[in-house]
Amino acid sequence: MSNKKIHIGITHGDTNGIGYEVILKLLEDQRLADLCTITVYGSAKAASFYRKGMELPQVQFNKVDSAAQSRDGVFNIVNVVGEDLKIDPGMATEAAGAAALAALDAACADLKEGVIDVLVTAPINKHSIQSSSFSFPGHTEYLEASFNTPEHPCKALMILCADTLRVALVTAHLPIAKVPEAITKELVLERIEQFNSSLKRDFGVGSPRIAVLSLNPHAGENGLLGTEENDIIAPAIAEARAAKIMAFGPYPADGFFGSGHFAAFDGVLAMYHDQGLAPFKTIAMDSGVNFTAGLPYVRTSPDHGTGYDIAGKGVASPDSLRSALYTAIDIFRNRRRHDDAYSSPLTPQQNLK
């Protein structure tokens, strides 16, 4: 196993949000430069604007033309936008969206080339970033499309994780009115299988226990409040268990988290975005991390948004971004250990017997 430092790329996200504040506060800890190599895909001008405006401690950046030139022991920054970038804290603007996309495009290109090892993304505004080059509901779908190839197909799975809780989603950025028609037995089973694989490879859980939530109130009350549990979710769970996956449910979602029942499982599979994320953020808002499983590369993000209401005020916490960075390192190492362990479990002589 290589002892080379992990090279982490951090995209600056929406330049009118709290991205730079939390990045600069994170990088106040110089010890991070001893742990990993960090390259920010962004704008030295924007970093300076926010540092001076909020009177934050000086963070020394090594300005490079490419992440391939980044050095160990310092914090590096690649300018992906011009000096004419207009910064309007708290405002949703086309310029800020374009700057966010420029960082994403550059970081993804470097991931594919092996220049950086993992990606940590600061929050974007999902509306401002829309353009002829970006027509996705969010990071998750963009990254899936960016890395999907006929030779190596991938399907992204959104997982919100913290120390005591991991929540995955069957459907992610989908209008609530479209959720029921999207919930099929095949999709639920696929998500259970994906989640199970990720818990093993990405989180190092040997025999994952997965709780699957219901779609309807009270798990449908035996068909009185909906039939999806009996017709779709329970059969998917049964097929997963037949394949030796320890999946359980469907559990009514309303009391599942408040009762602490989630603590008995290694992961919880929710049917839709707010069903999983509302309780997750209530429990783990400050330390929560958004991880995109199912990709050939590790990508994490803080579990908060652009924070326009507090942008430029100096009150944003870097805790979730810090957790995202450490989680990215942990998952990268877990994958490497898992793949090393399972790449050739038997010697050539044993394989011949």
Short mmCIF file of all heavy atoms in Angstrom, two decimals, residues 26 118-123 139-140 157-169 195 198 202-203 273 276-277 279-293 298-305 317-332:
data_model
loop_
_atom_site.label_atom_id
_atom_site.label_comp_id
_atom_site.label_asym_id
_atom_site.label_seq_id
_atom_site.Cartn_x
_atom_site.Cartn_y
_atom_site.Cartn_z
N LEU A 26 -11.30 26.37 7.58
CA LEU A 26 -10.74 25.01 7.61
C LEU A 26 -9.22 25.05 7.50
O LEU A 26 -8.51 24.36 8.25
CB LEU A 26 -11.34 24.19 6.47
CG LEU A 26 -10.70 22.82 6.20
CD1 LEU A 26 -11.05 21.85 7.33
CD2 LEU A 26 -11.16 22.26 4.86
N VAL A 118 -9.14 12.61 -4.54
CA VAL A 118 -10.52 12.70 -4.07
C VAL A 118 -11.01 14.14 -4.27
O VAL A 118 -10.22 15.07 -4.43
CB VAL A 118 -10.67 12.30 -2.59
CG1 VAL A 118 -10.18 10.89 -2.35
CG2 VAL A 118 -9.92 13.27 -1.69
N LEU A 119 -12.33 14.29 -4.23
CA LEU A 119 -12.96 15.58 -4.45
C LEU A 119 -13.84 15.95 -3.27
O LEU A 119 -14.67 15.15 -2.83
CB LEU A 119 -13.80 15.54 -5.73
CG LEU A 119 -14.63 16.77 -6.08
CD1 LEU A 119 -13.73 17.97 -6.33
CD2 LEU A 119 -15.51 16.48 -7.30
N VAL A 120 -13.67 17.17 -2.76
CA VAL A 120 -14.54 17.74 -1.74
C VAL A 120 -15.16 19.00 -2.34
O VAL A 120 -14.43 19.88 -2.79
CB VAL A 120 -13.78 18.08 -0.45
CG1 VAL A 120 -14.71 18.72 0.58
CG2 VAL A 120 -13.13 16.82 0.14
N THR A 121 -16.47 19.07 -2.36
CA THR A 121 -17.14 20.18 -3.03
C THR A 121 -17.83 21.11 -2.03
O THR A 121 -18.59 20.65 -1.18
CB THR A 121 -18.19 19.67 -4.04
OG1 THR A 121 -19.17 18.88 -3.35
CG2 THR A 121 -17.55 18.83 -5.12
N ALA A 122 -17.56 22.40 -2.15
CA ALA A 122 -18.32 23.39 -1.39
C ALA A 122 -19.69 23.58 -2.06
O ALA A 122 -19.85 23.24 -3.23
CB ALA A 122 -17.55 24.71 -1.31
N PRO A 123 -20.68 24.10 -1.35
CA PRO A 123 -22.06 24.13 -1.87
C PRO A 123 -22.23 25.01 -3.11
O PRO A 123 -21.59 26.06 -3.24
CB PRO A 123 -22.86 24.69 -0.68
CG PRO A 123 -22.01 24.46 0.52
CD PRO A 123 -20.60 24.58 0.05
N HIS A 139 -25.06 18.30 -7.67
CA HIS A 139 -23.75 17.67 -7.82
C HIS A 139 -23.85 16.19 -8.18
O HIS A 139 -23.13 15.70 -9.05
CB HIS A 139 -22.98 17.76 -6.49
CG HIS A 139 -22.23 19.03 -6.28
ND1 HIS A 139 -22.51 19.89 -5.25
CD2 HIS A 139 -21.18 19.58 -6.93
CE1 HIS A 139 -21.68 20.92 -5.27
NE2 HIS A 139 -20.86 20.76 -6.29
N THR A 140 -24.72 15.48 -7.47
CA THR A 140 -24.79 14.02 -7.60
C THR A 140 -25.01 13.59 -9.04
O THR A 140 -24.29 12.74 -9.58
CB THR A 140 -25.92 13.46 -6.70
OG1 THR A 140 -25.69 13.87 -5.35
CG2 THR A 140 -25.95 11.94 -6.77
N LEU A 157 -25.20 7.06 -5.82
CA LEU A 157 -26.08 6.87 -4.67
C LEU A 157 -25.72 7.91 -3.63
O LEU A 157 -24.57 7.99 -3.18
CB LEU A 157 -25.90 5.47 -4.08
CG LEU A 157 -26.65 5.19 -2.77
CD1 LEU A 157 -28.16 5.18 -3.00
CD2 LEU A 157 -26.19 3.85 -2.16
N MET A 158 -26.68 8.74 -3.25
CA MET A 158 -26.45 9.76 -2.24
C MET A 158 -26.53 9.15 -0.85
O MET A 158 -27.53 8.53 -0.50
CB MET A 158 -27.46 10.91 -2.37
CG MET A 158 -27.21 12.05 -1.38
SD MET A 158 -28.50 13.35 -1.42
CE MET A 158 -28.18 14.06 -3.03
N ILE A 159 -25.46 9.33 -0.09
CA ILE A 159 -25.41 8.86 1.29
C ILE A 159 -25.01 10.02 2.19
O ILE A 159 -23.99 10.67 1.96
CB ILE A 159 -24.39 7.72 1.47
CG1 ILE A 159 -24.74 6.51 0.58
CG2 ILE A 159 -24.33 7.29 2.95
CD1 ILE A 159 -23.71 5.38 0.66
N LEU A 160 -25.85 10.30 3.19
CA LEU A 160 -25.50 11.28 4.21
C LEU A 160 -24.95 10.52 5.40
O LEU A 160 -25.58 9.56 5.88
CB LEU A 160 -26.73 12.10 4.62
CG LEU A 160 -27.10 13.31 3.75
CD1 LEU A 160 -26.06 14.41 3.90
CD2 LEU A 160 -27.28 12.93 2.29
N CYS A 161 -23.77 10.91 5.86
CA CYS A 161 -23.13 10.11 6.91
C CYS A 161 -22.57 10.99 8.02
O CYS A 161 -22.16 12.14 7.80
CB CYS A 161 -22.03 9.23 6.32
SG CYS A 161 -20.79 10.11 5.33
N ALA A 162 -22.58 10.43 9.21
CA ALA A 162 -21.98 11.03 10.40
C ALA A 162 -21.47 9.86 11.24
O ALA A 162 -21.57 8.70 10.83
CB ALA A 162 -22.99 11.88 11.16
N ASP A 163 -20.95 10.16 12.41
CA ASP A 163 -20.34 9.11 13.23
C ASP A 163 -21.31 7.97 13.54
O ASP A 163 -20.94 6.80 13.50
CB ASP A 163 -19.83 9.70 14.55
CG ASP A 163 -18.60 10.57 14.34
OD1 ASP A 163 -17.94 10.41 13.30
OD2 ASP A 163 -18.31 11.41 15.20
N THR A 164 -22.56 8.29 13.83
CA THR A 164 -23.51 7.28 14.30
C THR A 164 -24.63 6.99 13.32
O THR A 164 -25.54 6.22 13.65
CB THR A 164 -24.13 7.71 15.64
OG1 THR A 164 -24.82 8.96 15.44
CG2 THR A 164 -23.06 7.90 16.70
N LEU A 165 -24.59 7.57 12.15
CA LEU A 165 -25.74 7.47 11.26
C LEU A 165 -25.33 7.58 9.80
O LEU A 165 -24.54 8.45 9.43
CB LEU A 165 -26.74 8.59 11.60
CG LEU A 165 -28.02 8.71 10.77
CD1 LEU A 165 -28.86 7.45 10.88
CD2 LEU A 165 -28.81 9.93 11.23
N ARG A 166 -25.86 6.66 8.97
CA ARG A 166 -25.67 6.74 7.52
C ARG A 166 -27.04 6.56 6.87
O ARG A 166 -27.71 5.55 7.11
CB ARG A 166 -24.71 5.65 7.02
CG ARG A 166 -23.35 5.65 7.70
CD ARG A 166 -22.47 4.51 7.18
NE ARG A 166 -21.28 4.36 7.99
CZ ARG A 166 -21.15 3.49 8.99
NH1 ARG A 166 -22.18 2.69 9.29
NH2 ARG A 166 -20.03 3.40 9.67
N VAL A 167 -27.42 7.53 6.06
CA VAL A 167 -28.72 7.51 5.40
C VAL A 167 -28.52 7.59 3.89
O VAL A 167 -27.88 8.52 3.40
CB VAL A 167 -29.61 8.68 5.86
CG1 VAL A 167 -30.93 8.68 5.09
CG2 VAL A 167 -29.87 8.60 7.37
N ALA A 168 -29.05 6.61 3.16
CA ALA A 168 -29.00 6.60 1.71
C ALA A 168 -30.40 6.83 1.16
O ALA A 168 -31.40 6.62 1.85
CB ALA A 168 -28.43 5.28 1.19
N LEU A 169 -30.47 7.27 -0.10
CA LEU A 169 -31.75 7.64 -0.69
C LEU A 169 -32.06 6.81 -1.93
O LEU A 169 -31.20 6.65 -2.81
CB LEU A 169 -31.73 9.12 -1.09
CG LEU A 169 -31.38 10.13 0.02
CD1 LEU A 169 -31.35 11.54 -0.57
CD2 LEU A 169 -32.36 10.04 1.17
N PHE A 195 -26.08 0.17 -1.53
CA PHE A 195 -25.81 0.60 -0.16
C PHE A 195 -24.99 -0.46 0.57
O PHE A 195 -24.02 -0.15 1.27
CB PHE A 195 -27.13 0.85 0.55
CG PHE A 195 -27.04 1.72 1.78
CD1 PHE A 195 -25.91 2.46 2.08
CD2 PHE A 195 -28.14 1.82 2.64
CE1 PHE A 195 -25.85 3.27 3.20
CE2 PHE A 195 -28.10 2.62 3.77
CZ PHE A 195 -26.95 3.35 4.05
N SER A 198 -21.43 -0.32 -0.67
CA SER A 198 -20.73 0.86 -0.19
C SER A 198 -20.39 0.74 1.29
O SER A 198 -19.29 1.13 1.71
CB SER A 198 -21.58 2.11 -0.43
OG SER A 198 -20.92 3.27 0.04
N ASP A 202 -16.62 1.19 1.27
CA ASP A 202 -16.32 2.58 1.59
C ASP A 202 -16.24 2.85 3.09
O ASP A 202 -15.51 3.74 3.52
CB ASP A 202 -17.37 3.50 0.98
CG ASP A 202 -17.43 3.40 -0.53
OD1 ASP A 202 -16.37 3.19 -1.15
OD2 ASP A 202 -18.54 3.53 -1.10
N PHE A 203 -17.01 2.08 3.89
CA PHE A 203 -17.06 2.34 5.32
C PHE A 203 -16.46 1.21 6.16
O PHE A 203 -16.41 1.32 7.38
CB PHE A 203 -18.50 2.62 5.75
CG PHE A 203 -19.07 3.87 5.15
CD1 PHE A 203 -19.84 3.82 3.99
CD2 PHE A 203 -18.83 5.10 5.74
CE1 PHE A 203 -20.36 4.98 3.44
CE2 PHE A 203 -19.35 6.27 5.18
CZ PHE A 203 -20.11 6.20 4.03
N HIS A 273 -35.86 12.25 -0.64
CA HIS A 273 -34.91 13.22 -0.11
C HIS A 273 -35.23 13.67 1.32
O HIS A 273 -34.45 13.44 2.26
CB HIS A 273 -34.86 14.43 -1.06
CG HIS A 273 -33.83 15.45 -0.74
ND1 HIS A 273 -34.01 16.43 0.22
CD2 HIS A 273 -32.60 15.67 -1.27
CE1 HIS A 273 -32.94 17.19 0.28
NE2 HIS A 273 -32.06 16.76 -0.62
N GLY A 276 -35.29 11.23 4.44
CA GLY A 276 -34.01 10.87 5.03
C GLY A 276 -33.21 12.04 5.55
O GLY A 276 -32.60 11.98 6.62
N LEU A 277 -33.24 13.17 4.81
CA LEU A 277 -32.35 14.28 5.15
C LEU A 277 -32.86 15.15 6.28
O LEU A 277 -32.07 15.71 7.05
CB LEU A 277 -32.07 15.13 3.92
CG LEU A 277 -30.82 14.71 3.14
CD1 LEU A 277 -30.94 13.28 2.64
CD2 LEU A 277 -30.54 15.65 1.98
N PRO A 279 -34.50 14.25 9.16
CA PRO A 279 -34.04 13.73 10.45
C PRO A 279 -32.52 13.67 10.55
O PRO A 279 -31.96 13.91 11.63
CB PRO A 279 -34.66 12.32 10.52
CG PRO A 279 -35.01 11.98 9.12
CD PRO A 279 -35.32 13.26 8.44
N PHE A 280 -31.85 13.37 9.43
CA PHE A 280 -30.38 13.31 9.48
C PHE A 280 -29.80 14.65 9.91
O PHE A 280 -28.93 14.71 10.79
CB PHE A 280 -29.81 12.92 8.12
CG PHE A 280 -28.30 12.92 8.10
CD1 PHE A 280 -27.60 11.78 8.47
CD2 PHE A 280 -27.58 14.06 7.76
CE1 PHE A 280 -26.21 11.78 8.50
CE2 PHE A 280 -26.20 14.07 7.78
CZ PHE A 280 -25.51 12.93 8.14
N LYS A 281 -30.27 15.73 9.28
CA LYS A 281 -29.72 17.04 9.61
C LYS A 281 -30.12 17.50 11.01
O LYS A 281 -29.40 18.28 11.64
CB LYS A 281 -30.13 18.06 8.55
CG LYS A 281 -29.47 17.79 7.19
CD LYS A 281 -29.77 18.88 6.18
CE LYS A 281 -29.06 18.61 4.87
NZ LYS A 281 -29.23 19.71 3.88
N THR A 282 -31.24 17.03 11.50
CA THR A 282 -31.62 17.33 12.88
C THR A 282 -30.64 16.68 13.85
O THR A 282 -30.25 17.28 14.87
CB THR A 282 -33.04 16.83 13.17
OG1 THR A 282 -33.96 17.47 12.28
CG2 THR A 282 -33.45 17.13 14.61
N ILE A 283 -30.22 15.47 13.52
CA ILE A 283 -29.33 14.71 14.40
C ILE A 283 -27.87 15.13 14.23
O ILE A 283 -27.12 15.23 15.19
CB ILE A 283 -29.47 13.20 14.13
CG1 ILE A 283 -30.88 12.73 14.50
CG2 ILE A 283 -28.42 12.39 14.88
CD1 ILE A 283 -31.21 11.32 14.02
N ALA A 284 -27.45 15.40 13.00
CA ALA A 284 -26.01 15.56 12.72
C ALA A 284 -25.69 16.75 11.83
O ALA A 284 -24.76 16.69 11.04
CB ALA A 284 -25.49 14.27 12.06
N MET A 285 -26.40 17.86 11.98
CA MET A 285 -26.22 19.00 11.07
C MET A 285 -24.79 19.52 11.06
O MET A 285 -24.21 19.78 10.01
CB MET A 285 -27.17 20.12 11.45
CG MET A 285 -27.11 21.31 10.51
SD MET A 285 -27.75 20.90 8.87
CE MET A 285 -27.35 22.36 7.94
N ASP A 286 -24.18 19.68 12.22
CA ASP A 286 -22.86 20.30 12.28
C ASP A 286 -21.74 19.41 11.76
O ASP A 286 -20.72 19.90 11.29
CB ASP A 286 -22.54 20.72 13.72
CG ASP A 286 -23.39 21.89 14.18
OD1 ASP A 286 -23.91 22.62 13.31
OD2 ASP A 286 -23.55 22.06 15.41
N SER A 287 -21.94 18.10 11.85
CA SER A 287 -20.88 17.18 11.46
C SER A 287 -21.24 16.31 10.26
O SER A 287 -20.47 15.46 9.85
CB SER A 287 -20.51 16.27 12.64
OG SER A 287 -21.64 15.50 13.05
N GLY A 288 -22.43 16.54 9.68
CA GLY A 288 -22.90 15.68 8.60
C GLY A 288 -22.12 15.88 7.31
O GLY A 288 -21.62 16.97 7.01
N VAL A 289 -22.05 14.79 6.53
CA VAL A 289 -21.32 14.79 5.27
C VAL A 289 -22.17 14.15 4.19
O VAL A 289 -22.84 13.14 4.42
CB VAL A 289 -19.99 14.00 5.40
CG1 VAL A 289 -19.28 13.89 4.05
CG2 VAL A 289 -19.08 14.66 6.43
N ASN A 290 -22.16 14.74 3.02
CA ASN A 290 -22.82 14.18 1.84
C ASN A 290 -21.77 13.43 1.04
O ASN A 290 -20.80 14.03 0.55
CB ASN A 290 -23.44 15.31 1.01
CG ASN A 290 -24.20 14.80 -0.20
OD1 ASN A 290 -24.16 13.63 -0.55
ND2 ASN A 290 -24.89 15.71 -0.87
N PHE A 291 -21.93 12.13 0.90
CA PHE A 291 -20.99 11.29 0.15
C PHE A 291 -21.70 10.68 -1.05
O PHE A 291 -22.82 10.18 -0.92
CB PHE A 291 -20.45 10.18 1.05
CG PHE A 291 -19.79 9.05 0.31
CD1 PHE A 291 -18.73 9.27 -0.56
CD2 PHE A 291 -20.22 7.73 0.49
CE1 PHE A 291 -18.14 8.23 -1.25
CE2 PHE A 291 -19.63 6.68 -0.19
CZ PHE A 291 -18.58 6.93 -1.07
N THR A 292 -21.06 10.74 -2.20
CA THR A 292 -21.63 10.15 -3.41
C THR A 292 -21.01 8.79 -3.66
O THR A 292 -19.87 8.69 -4.13
CB THR A 292 -21.40 11.06 -4.64
OG1 THR A 292 -21.84 12.38 -4.34
CG2 THR A 292 -22.17 10.54 -5.84
N ALA A 293 -21.74 7.75 -3.33
CA ALA A 293 -21.28 6.39 -3.60
C ALA A 293 -21.59 6.02 -5.05
O ALA A 293 -22.33 6.72 -5.74
CB ALA A 293 -21.96 5.40 -2.65
N VAL A 298 -13.82 9.17 -5.06
CA VAL A 298 -14.45 9.58 -3.81
C VAL A 298 -14.82 11.05 -3.88
O VAL A 298 -13.99 11.90 -4.20
CB VAL A 298 -13.49 9.34 -2.62
CG1 VAL A 298 -14.12 9.86 -1.32
CG2 VAL A 298 -13.15 7.87 -2.50
N ARG A 299 -16.08 11.35 -3.59
CA ARG A 299 -16.54 12.74 -3.52
C ARG A 299 -17.38 12.94 -2.27
O ARG A 299 -18.31 12.17 -2.00
CB ARG A 299 -17.35 13.12 -4.75
CG ARG A 299 -17.95 14.53 -4.66
CD ARG A 299 -19.41 14.52 -4.22
NE ARG A 299 -19.93 15.87 -3.96
CZ ARG A 299 -21.22 16.13 -3.75
NH1 ARG A 299 -22.12 15.17 -3.79
NH2 ARG A 299 -21.61 17.35 -3.49
N THR A 300 -17.03 13.95 -1.50
CA THR A 300 -17.81 14.32 -0.32
C THR A 300 -18.10 15.82 -0.37
O THR A 300 -17.49 16.57 -1.12
CB THR A 300 -17.07 14.00 0.99
OG1 THR A 300 -15.86 14.78 1.06
CG2 THR A 300 -16.75 12.53 1.11
N SER A 301 -19.03 16.23 0.48
CA SER A 301 -19.43 17.63 0.57
C SER A 301 -20.01 17.87 1.95
O SER A 301 -20.53 16.95 2.58
CB SER A 301 -20.47 17.94 -0.51
OG SER A 301 -20.93 19.27 -0.44
N PRO A 302 -19.94 19.12 2.45
CA PRO A 302 -20.68 19.41 3.68
C PRO A 302 -22.17 19.24 3.42
O PRO A 302 -22.62 19.33 2.27
CB PRO A 302 -20.32 20.87 3.97
CG PRO A 302 -19.84 21.43 2.67
CD PRO A 302 -19.21 20.28 1.94
N ASP A 303 -22.93 19.01 4.47
CA ASP A 303 -24.36 18.73 4.28
C ASP A 303 -25.21 19.99 4.33
O ASP A 303 -26.44 19.90 4.40
CB ASP A 303 -24.86 17.70 5.30
CG ASP A 303 -24.95 18.24 6.71
OD1 ASP A 303 -24.40 19.34 6.95
OD2 ASP A 303 -25.54 17.58 7.58
N HIS A 304 -24.58 21.17 4.25
CA HIS A 304 -25.34 22.42 4.26
C HIS A 304 -25.30 23.06 2.88
O HIS A 304 -24.56 22.63 1.99
CB HIS A 304 -24.81 23.39 5.32
CG HIS A 304 -23.35 23.73 5.17
ND1 HIS A 304 -22.85 24.50 4.13
CD2 HIS A 304 -22.27 23.38 5.91
CE1 HIS A 304 -21.55 24.64 4.25
NE2 HIS A 304 -21.17 23.96 5.32
N GLY A 305 -26.09 24.12 2.72
CA GLY A 305 -26.16 24.80 1.44
C GLY A 305 -25.27 26.03 1.38
O GLY A 305 -24.32 26.17 2.16
N SER A 317 -19.85 28.02 10.19
CA SER A 317 -18.99 27.01 10.83
C SER A 317 -18.34 26.12 9.77
O SER A 317 -19.01 25.65 8.86
CB SER A 317 -19.81 26.15 11.79
OG SER A 317 -19.04 25.03 12.23
N PRO A 318 -17.04 25.84 9.93
CA PRO A 318 -16.36 24.94 9.00
C PRO A 318 -16.45 23.47 9.39
O PRO A 318 -15.83 22.61 8.75
CB PRO A 318 -14.91 25.42 9.08
CG PRO A 318 -14.76 25.83 10.51
CD PRO A 318 -16.10 26.43 10.90
N ASP A 319 -17.22 23.17 10.44
CA ASP A 319 -17.21 21.81 10.98
C ASP A 319 -17.64 20.76 9.96
O ASP A 319 -17.03 19.69 9.86
CB ASP A 319 -18.12 21.71 12.22
CG ASP A 319 -17.54 22.44 13.42
OD1 ASP A 319 -16.36 22.84 13.36
OD2 ASP A 319 -18.27 22.61 14.41
N SER A 320 -18.71 21.04 9.20
CA SER A 320 -19.19 20.06 8.22
C SER A 320 -18.18 19.88 7.09
O SER A 320 -17.96 18.76 6.62
CB SER A 320 -20.55 20.49 7.66
OG SER A 320 -21.08 19.48 6.82
N LEU A 321 -17.53 20.96 6.66
CA LEU A 321 -16.50 20.83 5.62
C LEU A 321 -15.31 20.05 6.14
O LEU A 321 -14.74 19.22 5.43
CB LEU A 321 -16.06 22.22 5.15
CG LEU A 321 -15.00 22.22 4.04
CD1 LEU A 321 -15.55 21.59 2.76
CD2 LEU A 321 -14.50 23.64 3.76
N ARG A 322 -14.94 20.29 7.39
CA ARG A 322 -13.84 19.53 7.99
C ARG A 322 -14.20 18.04 8.04
O ARG A 322 -13.37 17.19 7.69
CB ARG A 322 -13.56 20.05 9.40
CG ARG A 322 -12.37 19.35 10.08
CD ARG A 322 -12.10 19.89 11.47
NE ARG A 322 -11.69 21.29 11.43
CZ ARG A 322 -12.44 22.31 11.82
NH1 ARG A 322 -13.67 22.08 12.31
NH2 ARG A 322 -12.00 23.54 11.75
N SER A 323 -15.42 17.74 8.43
CA SER A 323 -15.86 16.34 8.45
C SER A 323 -15.84 15.74 7.04
O SER A 323 -15.48 14.57 6.86
CB SER A 323 -17.27 16.23 9.03
OG SER A 323 -17.30 16.58 10.40
N ALA A 324 -16.22 16.55 6.04
CA ALA A 324 -16.22 16.07 4.66
C ALA A 324 -14.81 15.72 4.21
O ALA A 324 -14.59 14.72 3.52
CB ALA A 324 -16.83 17.12 3.74
N LEU A 325 -13.84 16.54 4.60
CA LEU A 325 -12.44 16.26 4.23
C LEU A 325 -11.94 14.98 4.90
O LEU A 325 -11.36 14.11 4.25
CB LEU A 325 -11.57 17.45 4.61
CG LEU A 325 -10.09 17.35 4.19
CD1 LEU A 325 -9.58 18.70 3.70
CD2 LEU A 325 -9.22 16.89 5.37
N TYR A 326 -12.17 14.86 6.20
CA TYR A 326 -11.71 13.66 6.91
C TYR A 326 -12.43 12.41 6.41
O TYR A 326 -11.82 11.33 6.30
CB TYR A 326 -11.91 13.82 8.42
CG TYR A 326 -10.93 14.76 9.08
CD1 TYR A 326 -11.34 15.70 10.01
CD2 TYR A 326 -9.57 14.70 8.77
CE1 TYR A 326 -10.45 16.57 10.62
CE2 TYR A 326 -8.67 15.56 9.38
CZ TYR A 326 -9.11 16.49 10.30
OH TYR A 326 -8.22 17.34 10.89
N THR A 327 -13.73 12.54 6.12
CA THR A 327 -14.48 11.39 5.60
C THR A 327 -13.94 10.96 4.24
O THR A 327 -13.84 9.76 3.96
CB THR A 327 -15.98 11.74 5.50
OG1 THR A 327 -16.48 12.04 6.81
CG2 THR A 327 -16.77 10.58 4.91
N ALA A 328 -13.62 11.93 3.39
CA ALA A 328 -13.06 11.60 2.08
C ALA A 328 -11.76 10.81 2.22
O ALA A 328 -11.53 9.83 1.51
CB ALA A 328 -12.81 12.88 1.28
N ILE A 329 -10.92 11.22 3.16
CA ILE A 329 -9.66 10.50 3.40
C ILE A 329 -9.94 9.09 3.90
O ILE A 329 -9.34 8.11 3.43
CB ILE A 329 -8.79 11.27 4.41
CG1 ILE A 329 -8.31 12.60 3.80
CG2 ILE A 329 -7.59 10.42 4.86
CD1 ILE A 329 -7.59 13.50 4.78
N ASP A 330 -10.87 8.97 4.85
CA ASP A 330 -11.19 7.65 5.41
C ASP A 330 -11.74 6.72 4.33
O ASP A 330 -11.35 5.54 4.26
CB ASP A 330 -12.23 7.79 6.53
CG ASP A 330 -11.66 8.40 7.79
OD1 ASP A 330 -10.42 8.43 7.93
OD2 ASP A 330 -12.46 8.86 8.64
N ILE A 331 -12.65 7.22 3.50
CA ILE A 331 -13.24 6.37 2.46
C ILE A 331 -12.21 5.98 1.42
O ILE A 331 -12.18 4.83 0.97
CB ILE A 331 -14.45 7.09 1.81
CG1 ILE A 331 -15.60 7.20 2.82
CG2 ILE A 331 -14.92 6.35 0.56
CD1 ILE A 331 -16.78 8.02 2.33
N PHE A 332 -11.34 6.92 1.05
CA PHE A 332 -10.28 6.59 0.09
C PHE A 332 -9.40 5.47 0.63
O PHE A 332 -9.07 4.51 -0.08
CB PHE A 332 -9.43 7.84 -0.19
CG PHE A 332 -8.34 7.64 -1.19
CD1 PHE A 332 -8.60 7.71 -2.55
CD2 PHE A 332 -7.04 7.36 -0.78
CE1 PHE A 332 -7.59 7.51 -3.49
CE2 PHE A 332 -6.03 7.16 -1.70
CZ PHE A 332 -6.31 7.24 -3.06
#
